[in-house]
Amino acid sequence: MTSAIPVAAHEPGEERPARPLTMFGPDFPFAYDDWLAHPAGLGEVPESQRGTEVAVIGGGLSGIVTAYELMRLGLKPVVYEAHEIGGRLRSTPFEGHPGVVAEMGAMRFPPSSTALFSYVRDLGLRTTRFPNPLDVATPSTVVDLKGETHYARTLDDLPPLYREVADAWHETLVQGARLEEVQQAIRDRDVKTIKAIWDELVEQLDDTTFYGFLAASPAFRSFRHREVFGQVGFGTGGWDTDYPNSMLEILRVVYTAADDDHLSIAGGSQQIPVGLWRREVEAPVHWPAGTSLASLHAGGRPLPGVTRLHRTAPNCLTVTDEAGGIRTYAAAVFTAQSWNLLSRIVCDEELFPIDHWTAIERTHYMGSTKLFCLVDRPFWKDVDPRTGRHRMSMTLSDRMTRGTYLLDQGEGRPGLICLSYTWADDSLKWLPLSATERMEVMLASLREIYPDVDLRRHVIASPVTVSWESERDFMGAFKANLPGHYRYQRRLFTHFKQDELPEQYRGLFLAGDDISWTAGWAEGAVQTALNAVWGVVHHLGGRSHPDNPGPGDLFDELAPVRLPED
């Protein structure tokens, strides 16, 4: 499976055939994939507003999707970007080795990301299965915990303890979070059932940590089981760095199969936003055929990063960029990490109501570090004649590497190894070290697991690394709500529906994966971009087609539950 296939359009409330698991909710079960696929399009703006400039701040996936759809509707998006198109879809090449890229940000995408994959399909990008631990695309997996190493091709090859942990996790989700009921409702796109179950769980679990939820489960009464689960986890590996976060964040992932059966984008995920930036639209409203985002910008480049954002009369937004340029807009969409509004950009307090500022300030970001090295060939596929095992495997460990991924680039090409992929406290340990110093630590750890493998002699290029918490315009990898943060997230996500806001706060829209419920997954960036598109169109006097209502049109029916604040 390489992408989701759109189905026929439907009337609101009409019974639909069951589908695979998708990121349909649970907080806001709107069918973004159907909205995108509908022949009526995403709406229209009044003819008098066509060509109106709209600022789009941030050239990551959310910003580029926002700009692309606004352009198709006949508006003129003006994109601001401090670095390069892509944001955390950053595909870094190795000098002297064209065609091989290290995915420094997003590198694996669940097929349940159906809105995202509509763009992947439109761009003609090819996908391959990502080699997660014990996945069918992974020749073998090694689990190395407490100095004991286990080689496996399937879960059944591991000691019984690991099967016990996997079963305990499934039982905990079924008994404590009604997993099977919610997933069936998502497949059926049964909004009533999704909301009935999820709204109740939000009230029950908003104050509960991931670890607290596990510890309260009879299936996880053994600390040893909780420890192993934290280090090995499910889907992509250990999740103990998420233990302090809200359990609601974890349920959003498992309900929507976001942590299973991942695909990677052949040639790099940055091709998605770059491709949309360059894509010539055959029949855009207002613009000539063949117009692209690049062609609407002088020199085919976005404007520099934003340094100041403030409101000016009458109901306008004025943007100052790093080059000193000042431009004023009737509407703007902010898609960069929201913490930039607190520290990197000079802002008027009048941009948002105080409760929204509080929500931005309370946003909690996860740190993340990756380290990649390029090797002469995928030597890990060699089989040791003595043991019948691969020379090296996808590796989960409690050592400093935590997760090591082996990425085959194809016949006759170098091999790529993600030596280490770490989160939160594990990521912070690497901040003072250079890429080369980090590689030395990782090679030492892997030498303990594979004493007969001289990995160093295969390395053919300098390593590349990133720690997202130290990136000036990111300050973290993605949002991860802490217990009690649901109310804050609701304010940010629902900001696109501005009818109830005082007029002086309208016209600036938030988007990006830290505004979404499903942070860390590109689908969240796409969904909030589409929310912002609806918001801009509505703000400028436009509307959705009656046969294809947008997220704001159905908001009252689908709105996230509102928890009491008194």
Side-chain angles (χ1 to χ4, degrees), residues 258-289:
D259 208 50
D260 291 324
D261 301 328
H262 291 147
L263 303 173
S264 58
I265 308 299
S269 63
Q270 195 169 352
Q271 293 174 104
I272 305 172
V274 170
L276 291 175
W277 173 259
R278 297 172 178 169
R279 190 166 195 251
E280 297 179 352
V281 179
E282 292 182 4
V285 176
H286 180 70
W287 304 110

PDB file of all heavy atoms in Angstrom, residues 258-289:
ATOM      1  N   ALA A 258      -1.254   5.264  13.901  1.00  0.00           N
ATOM      2  CA  ALA A 258      -0.167   6.148  13.482  1.00  0.00           C
ATOM      3  C   ALA A 258       1.197   5.537  13.748  1.00  0.00           C
ATOM      4  O   ALA A 258       2.189   5.983  13.165  1.00  0.00           O
ATOM      5  CB  ALA A 258      -0.283   7.498  14.201  1.00  0.00           C
ATOM      6  N   ASP A 259       1.265   4.535  14.601  1.00  0.00           N
ATOM      7  CA  ASP A 259       2.562   3.962  14.945  1.00  0.00           C
ATOM      8  C   ASP A 259       2.786   2.596  14.298  1.00  0.00           C
ATOM      9  O   ASP A 259       3.612   1.819  14.762  1.00  0.00           O
ATOM     10  CB  ASP A 259       2.695   3.838  16.464  1.00  0.00           C
ATOM     11  CG  ASP A 259       4.147   3.927  16.905  1.00  0.00           C
ATOM     12  OD1 ASP A 259       4.827   4.871  16.472  1.00  0.00           O
ATOM     13  OD2 ASP A 259       4.602   3.054  17.660  1.00  0.00           O
ATOM     14  N   ASP A 260       2.070   2.312  13.219  1.00  0.00           N
ATOM     15  CA  ASP A 260       2.183   1.003  12.578  1.00  0.00           C
ATOM     16  C   ASP A 260       2.410   1.141  11.072  1.00  0.00           C
ATOM     17  O   ASP A 260       1.987   2.111  10.447  1.00  0.00           O
ATOM     18  CB  ASP A 260       0.894   0.189  12.786  1.00  0.00           C
ATOM     19  CG  ASP A 260       0.713  -0.225  14.234  1.00  0.00           C
ATOM     20  OD1 ASP A 260       1.719  -0.519  14.888  1.00  0.00           O
ATOM     21  OD2 ASP A 260      -0.442  -0.231  14.697  1.00  0.00           O
ATOM     22  N   ASP A 261       3.066   0.128  10.511  1.00  0.00           N
ATOM     23  CA  ASP A 261       3.131  -0.073   9.053  1.00  0.00           C
ATOM     24  C   ASP A 261       3.570   1.179   8.294  1.00  0.00           C
ATOM     25  O   ASP A 261       2.934   1.607   7.343  1.00  0.00           O
ATOM     26  CB  ASP A 261       1.758  -0.525   8.523  1.00  0.00           C
ATOM     27  CG  ASP A 261       1.296  -1.813   9.176  1.00  0.00           C
ATOM     28  OD1 ASP A 261       2.160  -2.638   9.512  1.00  0.00           O
ATOM     29  OD2 ASP A 261       0.086  -1.988   9.368  1.00  0.00           O
ATOM     30  N   HIS A 262       4.670   1.755   8.714  1.00  0.00           N
ATOM     31  CA  HIS A 262       5.072   3.034   8.147  1.00  0.00           C
ATOM     32  C   HIS A 262       5.640   2.919   6.735  1.00  0.00           C
ATOM     33  O   HIS A 262       6.241   1.914   6.366  1.00  0.00           O
ATOM     34  CB  HIS A 262       6.120   3.697   9.049  1.00  0.00           C
ATOM     35  CG  HIS A 262       5.568   4.152  10.355  1.00  0.00           C
ATOM     36  ND1 HIS A 262       6.283   4.156  11.526  1.00  0.00           N
ATOM     37  CD2 HIS A 262       4.343   4.624  10.690  1.00  0.00           C
ATOM     38  CE1 HIS A 262       5.543   4.609  12.512  1.00  0.00           C
ATOM     39  NE2 HIS A 262       4.359   4.899  12.029  1.00  0.00           N
ATOM     40  N   LEU A 263       5.473   4.018   6.012  1.00  0.00           N
ATOM     41  CA  LEU A 263       6.067   4.169   4.694  1.00  0.00           C
ATOM     42  C   LEU A 263       7.076   5.309   4.740  1.00  0.00           C
ATOM     43  O   LEU A 263       6.943   6.247   5.523  1.00  0.00           O
ATOM     44  CB  LEU A 263       4.987   4.485   3.656  1.00  0.00           C
ATOM     45  CG  LEU A 263       3.845   3.481   3.529  1.00  0.00           C
ATOM     46  CD1 LEU A 263       2.771   4.013   2.594  1.00  0.00           C
ATOM     47  CD2 LEU A 263       4.360   2.129   3.044  1.00  0.00           C
ATOM     48  N   SER A 264       8.093   5.209   3.900  1.00  0.00           N
ATOM     49  CA  SER A 264       9.023   6.317   3.724  1.00  0.00           C
ATOM     50  C   SER A 264       8.895   6.824   2.294  1.00  0.00           C
ATOM     51  O   SER A 264       8.408   6.129   1.408  1.00  0.00           O
ATOM     52  CB  SER A 264      10.458   5.880   4.028  1.00  0.00           C
ATOM     53  OG  SER A 264      10.852   4.796   3.201  1.00  0.00           O
ATOM     54  N   ILE A 265       9.327   8.060   2.076  1.00  0.00           N
ATOM     55  CA  ILE A 265       9.252   8.681   0.761  1.00  0.00           C
ATOM     56  C   ILE A 265      10.585   8.470   0.057  1.00  0.00           C
ATOM     57  O   ILE A 265      11.621   8.953   0.521  1.00  0.00           O
ATOM     58  CB  ILE A 265       8.946  10.185   0.869  1.00  0.00           C
ATOM     59  CG1 ILE A 265       7.715  10.429   1.755  1.00  0.00           C
ATOM     60  CG2 ILE A 265       8.752  10.787  -0.514  1.00  0.00           C
ATOM     61  CD1 ILE A 265       6.448   9.818   1.254  1.00  0.00           C
ATOM     62  N   ALA A 266      10.583   7.719  -1.023  1.00  0.00           N
ATOM     63  CA  ALA A 266      11.821   7.465  -1.764  1.00  0.00           C
ATOM     64  C   ALA A 266      12.406   8.792  -2.239  1.00  0.00           C
ATOM     65  O   ALA A 266      11.725   9.586  -2.877  1.00  0.00           O
ATOM     66  CB  ALA A 266      11.541   6.551  -2.958  1.00  0.00           C
ATOM     67  N   GLY A 267      13.663   9.030  -1.893  1.00  0.00           N
ATOM     68  CA  GLY A 267      14.306  10.282  -2.272  1.00  0.00           C
ATOM     69  C   GLY A 267      14.179  11.378  -1.254  1.00  0.00           C
ATOM     70  O   GLY A 267      14.787  12.437  -1.412  1.00  0.00           O
ATOM     71  N   GLY A 268      13.390  11.154  -0.189  1.00  0.00           N
ATOM     72  CA  GLY A 268      13.308  12.117   0.898  1.00  0.00           C
ATOM     73  C   GLY A 268      11.961  12.796   1.015  1.00  0.00           C
ATOM     74  O   GLY A 268      11.328  13.169   0.027  1.00  0.00           O
ATOM     75  N   SER A 269      11.520  12.990   2.256  1.00  0.00           N
ATOM     76  CA  SER A 269      10.212  13.579   2.520  1.00  0.00           C
ATOM     77  C   SER A 269      10.150  15.065   2.183  1.00  0.00           C
ATOM     78  O   SER A 269       9.064  15.618   1.979  1.00  0.00           O
ATOM     79  CB  SER A 269       9.836  13.379   3.995  1.00  0.00           C
ATOM     80  OG  SER A 269      10.760  14.048   4.847  1.00  0.00           O
ATOM     81  N   GLN A 270      11.298  15.729   2.117  1.00  0.00           N
ATOM     82  CA  GLN A 270      11.295  17.152   1.783  1.00  0.00           C
ATOM     83  C   GLN A 270      10.759  17.400   0.376  1.00  0.00           C
ATOM     84  O   GLN A 270      10.352  18.521   0.042  1.00  0.00           O
ATOM     85  CB  GLN A 270      12.708  17.733   1.924  1.00  0.00           C
ATOM     86  CG  GLN A 270      12.761  19.246   1.954  1.00  0.00           C
ATOM     87  CD  GLN A 270      14.118  19.778   2.361  1.00  0.00           C
ATOM     88  OE1 GLN A 270      15.011  19.025   2.763  1.00  0.00           O
ATOM     89  NE2 GLN A 270      14.296  21.083   2.287  1.00  0.00           N
ATOM     90  N   GLN A 271      10.714  16.346  -0.431  1.00  0.00           N
ATOM     91  CA  GLN A 271      10.146  16.471  -1.772  1.00  0.00           C
ATOM     92  C   GLN A 271       8.678  16.878  -1.740  1.00  0.00           C
ATOM     93  O   GLN A 271       8.170  17.446  -2.715  1.00  0.00           O
ATOM     94  CB  GLN A 271      10.262  15.148  -2.526  1.00  0.00           C
ATOM     95  CG  GLN A 271      11.682  14.726  -2.850  1.00  0.00           C
ATOM     96  CD  GLN A 271      11.690  13.338  -3.465  1.00  0.00           C
ATOM     97  OE1 GLN A 271      11.855  13.172  -4.660  1.00  0.00           O
ATOM     98  NE2 GLN A 271      11.497  12.340  -2.635  1.00  0.00           N
ATOM     99  N   ILE A 272       7.974  16.587  -0.640  1.00  0.00           N
ATOM    100  CA  ILE A 272       6.547  16.929  -0.594  1.00  0.00           C
ATOM    101  C   ILE A 272       6.365  18.446  -0.579  1.00  0.00           C
ATOM    102  O   ILE A 272       5.732  19.003  -1.486  1.00  0.00           O
ATOM    103  CB  ILE A 272       5.849  16.264   0.609  1.00  0.00           C
ATOM    104  CG1 ILE A 272       6.068  14.750   0.609  1.00  0.00           C
ATOM    105  CG2 ILE A 272       4.348  16.577   0.576  1.00  0.00           C
ATOM    106  CD1 ILE A 272       5.576  14.052   1.872  1.00  0.00           C
ATOM    107  N   PRO A 273       6.896  19.183   0.425  1.00  0.00           N
ATOM    108  CA  PRO A 273       6.708  20.636   0.379  1.00  0.00           C
ATOM    109  C   PRO A 273       7.417  21.304  -0.795  1.00  0.00           C
ATOM    110  O   PRO A 273       6.870  22.246  -1.391  1.00  0.00           O
ATOM    111  CB  PRO A 273       7.272  21.107   1.729  1.00  0.00           C
ATOM    112  CG  PRO A 273       8.173  20.019   2.188  1.00  0.00           C
ATOM    113  CD  PRO A 273       7.574  18.762   1.667  1.00  0.00           C
ATOM    114  N   VAL A 274       8.608  20.824  -1.150  1.00  0.00           N
ATOM    115  CA  VAL A 274       9.311  21.415  -2.293  1.00  0.00           C
ATOM    116  C   VAL A 274       8.519  21.168  -3.578  1.00  0.00           C
ATOM    117  O   VAL A 274       8.403  22.055  -4.439  1.00  0.00           O
ATOM    118  CB  VAL A 274      10.744  20.855  -2.399  1.00  0.00           C
ATOM    119  CG1 VAL A 274      11.399  21.270  -3.712  1.00  0.00           C
ATOM    120  CG2 VAL A 274      11.590  21.333  -1.218  1.00  0.00           C
ATOM    121  N   GLY A 275       7.949  19.972  -3.702  1.00  0.00           N
ATOM    122  CA  GLY A 275       7.159  19.658  -4.889  1.00  0.00           C
ATOM    123  C   GLY A 275       5.921  20.532  -4.998  1.00  0.00           C
ATOM    124  O   GLY A 275       5.568  21.005  -6.090  1.00  0.00           O
ATOM    125  N   LEU A 276       5.237  20.776  -3.870  1.00  0.00           N
ATOM    126  CA  LEU A 276       4.058  21.638  -3.893  1.00  0.00           C
ATOM    127  C   LEU A 276       4.447  23.083  -4.180  1.00  0.00           C
ATOM    128  O   LEU A 276       3.699  23.826  -4.828  1.00  0.00           O
ATOM    129  CB  LEU A 276       3.305  21.543  -2.569  1.00  0.00           C
ATOM    130  CG  LEU A 276       2.611  20.207  -2.285  1.00  0.00           C
ATOM    131  CD1 LEU A 276       2.011  20.212  -0.900  1.00  0.00           C
ATOM    132  CD2 LEU A 276       1.541  19.912  -3.329  1.00  0.00           C
ATOM    133  N   TRP A 277       5.601  23.516  -3.704  1.00  0.00           N
ATOM    134  CA  TRP A 277       6.095  24.863  -3.974  1.00  0.00           C
ATOM    135  C   TRP A 277       6.298  25.079  -5.485  1.00  0.00           C
ATOM    136  O   TRP A 277       5.974  26.135  -6.018  1.00  0.00           O
ATOM    137  CB  TRP A 277       7.405  25.062  -3.219  1.00  0.00           C
ATOM    138  CG  TRP A 277       8.128  26.343  -3.511  1.00  0.00           C
ATOM    139  CD1 TRP A 277       9.208  26.521  -4.332  1.00  0.00           C
ATOM    140  CD2 TRP A 277       7.827  27.643  -2.985  1.00  0.00           C
ATOM    141  NE1 TRP A 277       9.613  27.836  -4.346  1.00  0.00           N
ATOM    142  CE2 TRP A 277       8.775  28.553  -3.527  1.00  0.00           C
ATOM    143  CE3 TRP A 277       6.861  28.130  -2.114  1.00  0.00           C
ATOM    144  CZ2 TRP A 277       8.773  29.912  -3.218  1.00  0.00           C
ATOM    145  CZ3 TRP A 277       6.857  29.481  -1.805  1.00  0.00           C
ATOM    146  CH2 TRP A 277       7.802  30.357  -2.358  1.00  0.00           C
ATOM    147  N   ARG A 278       6.791  24.062  -6.146  1.00  0.00           N
ATOM    148  CA  ARG A 278       7.108  24.186  -7.566  1.00  0.00           C
ATOM    149  C   ARG A 278       5.971  23.758  -8.484  1.00  0.00           C
ATOM    150  O   ARG A 278       6.005  24.042  -9.687  1.00  0.00           O
ATOM    151  CB  ARG A 278       8.342  23.328  -7.894  1.00  0.00           C
ATOM    152  CG  ARG A 278       9.605  23.768  -7.166  1.00  0.00           C
ATOM    153  CD  ARG A 278      10.715  22.753  -7.387  1.00  0.00           C
ATOM    154  NE  ARG A 278      11.964  23.164  -6.747  1.00  0.00           N
ATOM    155  CZ  ARG A 278      13.023  22.374  -6.600  1.00  0.00           C
ATOM    156  NH1 ARG A 278      12.986  21.119  -7.068  1.00  0.00           N
ATOM    157  NH2 ARG A 278      14.111  22.814  -6.015  1.00  0.00           N
ATOM    158  N   ARG A 279       4.987  23.084  -7.954  1.00  0.00           N
ATOM    159  CA  ARG A 279       3.968  22.463  -8.807  1.00  0.00           C
ATOM    160  C   ARG A 279       3.136  23.507  -9.544  1.00  0.00           C
ATOM    161  O   ARG A 279       2.582  24.423  -8.941  1.00  0.00           O
ATOM    162  CB  ARG A 279       3.051  21.574  -7.966  1.00  0.00           C
ATOM    163  CG  ARG A 279       2.122  20.708  -8.815  1.00  0.00           C
ATOM    164  CD  ARG A 279       1.498  19.622  -7.957  1.00  0.00           C
ATOM    165  NE  ARG A 279       0.904  18.597  -8.775  1.00  0.00           N
ATOM    166  CZ  ARG A 279      -0.408  18.400  -8.903  1.00  0.00           C
ATOM    167  NH1 ARG A 279      -1.242  19.183  -8.248  1.00  0.00           N
ATOM    168  NH2 ARG A 279      -0.875  17.435  -9.657  1.00  0.00           N
ATOM    169  N   GLU A 280       3.048  23.348 -10.841  1.00  0.00           N
ATOM    170  CA  GLU A 280       2.264  24.241 -11.680  1.00  0.00           C
ATOM    171  C   GLU A 280       0.826  23.734 -11.727  1.00  0.00           C
ATOM    172  O   GLU A 280       0.578  22.581 -12.082  1.00  0.00           O
ATOM    173  CB  GLU A 280       2.861  24.320 -13.082  1.00  0.00           C
ATOM    174  CG  GLU A 280       4.270  24.897 -13.100  1.00  0.00           C
ATOM    175  CD  GLU A 280       4.861  24.953 -14.498  1.00  0.00           C
ATOM    176  OE1 GLU A 280       4.231  24.406 -15.429  1.00  0.00           O
ATOM    177  OE2 GLU A 280       5.950  25.542 -14.651  1.00  0.00           O
ATOM    178  N   VAL A 281      -0.102  24.600 -11.358  1.00  0.00           N
ATOM    179  CA  VAL A 281      -1.513  24.221 -11.294  1.00  0.00           C
ATOM    180  C   VAL A 281      -2.160  24.456 -12.652  1.00  0.00           C
ATOM    181  O   VAL A 281      -2.003  25.521 -13.248  1.00  0.00           O
ATOM    182  CB  VAL A 281      -2.228  25.033 -10.196  1.00  0.00           C
ATOM    183  CG1 VAL A 281      -3.709  24.656 -10.141  1.00  0.00           C
ATOM    184  CG2 VAL A 281      -1.559  24.778  -8.844  1.00  0.00           C
ATOM    185  N   GLU A 282      -2.877  23.449 -13.118  1.00  0.00           N
ATOM    186  CA  GLU A 282      -3.439  23.521 -14.477  1.00  0.00           C
ATOM    187  C   GLU A 282      -4.533  24.568 -14.599  1.00  0.00           C
ATOM    188  O   GLU A 282      -4.595  25.304 -15.587  1.00  0.00           O
ATOM    189  CB  GLU A 282      -3.990  22.150 -14.879  1.00  0.00           C
ATOM    190  CG  GLU A 282      -2.915  21.079 -15.078  1.00  0.00           C
ATOM    191  CD  GLU A 282      -3.522  19.760 -15.510  1.00  0.00           C
ATOM    192  OE1 GLU A 282      -4.759  19.720 -15.725  1.00  0.00           O
ATOM    193  OE2 GLU A 282      -2.772  18.782 -15.632  1.00  0.00           O
ATOM    194  N   ALA A 283      -5.415  24.643 -13.607  1.00  0.00           N
ATOM    195  CA  ALA A 283      -6.552  25.562 -13.746  1.00  0.00           C
ATOM    196  C   ALA A 283      -6.859  26.249 -12.414  1.00  0.00           C
ATOM    197  O   ALA A 283      -7.938  26.057 -11.837  1.00  0.00           O
ATOM    198  CB  ALA A 283      -7.776  24.810 -14.257  1.00  0.00           C
ATOM    199  N   PRO A 284      -5.944  27.063 -11.912  1.00  0.00           N
ATOM    200  CA  PRO A 284      -6.250  27.775 -10.677  1.00  0.00           C
ATOM    201  C   PRO A 284      -7.271  28.877 -10.929  1.00  0.00           C
ATOM    202  O   PRO A 284      -7.387  29.388 -12.053  1.00  0.00           O
ATOM    203  CB  PRO A 284      -4.893  28.378 -10.283  1.00  0.00           C
ATOM    204  CG  PRO A 284      -4.179  28.571 -11.584  1.00  0.00           C
ATOM    205  CD  PRO A 284      -4.621  27.427 -12.458  1.00  0.00           C
ATOM    206  N   VAL A 285      -8.007  29.234  -9.897  1.00  0.00           N
ATOM    207  CA  VAL A 285      -8.903  30.379  -9.997  1.00  0.00           C
ATOM    208  C   VAL A 285      -8.053  31.642 -10.082  1.00  0.00           C
ATOM    209  O   VAL A 285      -7.045  31.774  -9.375  1.00  0.00           O
ATOM    210  CB  VAL A 285      -9.834  30.440  -8.771  1.00  0.00           C
ATOM    211  CG1 VAL A 285     -10.704  31.694  -8.815  1.00  0.00           C
ATOM    212  CG2 VAL A 285     -10.691  29.184  -8.693  1.00  0.00           C
ATOM    213  N   HIS A 286      -8.419  32.557 -10.971  1.00  0.00           N
ATOM    214  CA  HIS A 286      -7.808  33.878 -11.080  1.00  0.00           C
ATOM    215  C   HIS A 286      -6.445  33.870 -11.773  1.00  0.00           C
ATOM    216  O   HIS A 286      -6.160  34.732 -12.603  1.00  0.00           O
ATOM    217  CB  HIS A 286      -7.685  34.529  -9.693  1.00  0.00           C
ATOM    218  CG  HIS A 286      -7.071  35.904  -9.715  1.00  0.00           C
ATOM    219  ND1 HIS A 286      -7.734  36.994 -10.239  1.00  0.00           N
ATOM    220  CD2 HIS A 286      -5.865  36.366  -9.281  1.00  0.00           C
ATOM    221  CE1 HIS A 286      -6.965  38.065 -10.123  1.00  0.00           C
ATOM    222  NE2 HIS A 286      -5.831  37.718  -9.546  1.00  0.00           N
ATOM    223  N   TRP A 287      -5.601  32.915 -11.469  1.00  0.00           N
ATOM    224  CA  TRP A 287      -4.231  32.919 -11.981  1.00  0.00           C
ATOM    225  C   TRP A 287      -4.149  32.199 -13.324  1.00  0.00           C
ATOM    226  O   TRP A 287      -4.966  31.316 -13.614  1.00  0.00           O
ATOM    227  CB  TRP A 287      -3.273  32.248 -10.983  1.00  0.00           C
ATOM    228  CG  TRP A 287      -3.314  32.863  -9.622  1.00  0.00           C
ATOM    229  CD1 TRP A 287      -3.823  32.307  -8.493  1.00  0.00           C
ATOM    230  CD2 TRP A 287      -2.857  34.163  -9.259  1.00  0.00           C
ATOM    231  NE1 TRP A 287      -3.709  33.165  -7.435  1.00  0.00           N
ATOM    232  CE2 TRP A 287      -3.112  34.326  -7.879  1.00  0.00           C
ATOM    233  CE3 TRP A 287      -2.261  35.220  -9.955  1.00  0.00           C
ATOM    234  CZ2 TRP A 287      -2.789  35.493  -7.193  1.00  0.00           C
ATOM    235  CZ3 TRP A 287      -1.932  36.386  -9.275  1.00  0.00           C
ATOM    236  CH2 TRP A 287      -2.204  36.512  -7.918  1.00  0.00           C
ATOM    237  N   PRO A 288      -3.156  32.533 -14.153  1.00  0.00           N
ATOM    238  CA  PRO A 288      -2.995  31.819 -15.432  1.00  0.00           C
ATOM    239  C   PRO A 288      -2.669  30.345 -15.215  1.00  0.00           C
ATOM    240  O   PRO A 288      -2.098  29.959 -14.182  1.00  0.00           O
ATOM    241  CB  PRO A 288      -1.808  32.549 -16.089  1.00  0.00           C
ATOM    242  CG  PRO A 288      -1.654  33.839 -15.361  1.00  0.00           C
ATOM    243  CD  PRO A 288      -2.163  33.602 -13.976  1.00  0.00           C
ATOM    244  N   ALA A 289      -3.016  29.524 -16.167  1.00  0.00           N
ATOM    245  CA  ALA A 289      -2.652  28.106 -16.106  1.00  0.00           C
ATOM    246  C   ALA A 289      -1.134  27.984 -15.985  1.00  0.00           C
ATOM    247  O   ALA A 289      -0.383  28.716 -16.625  1.00  0.00           O
ATOM    248  CB  ALA A 289      -3.140  27.387 -17.355  1.00  0.00           C
TER     249      ALA A 289
END
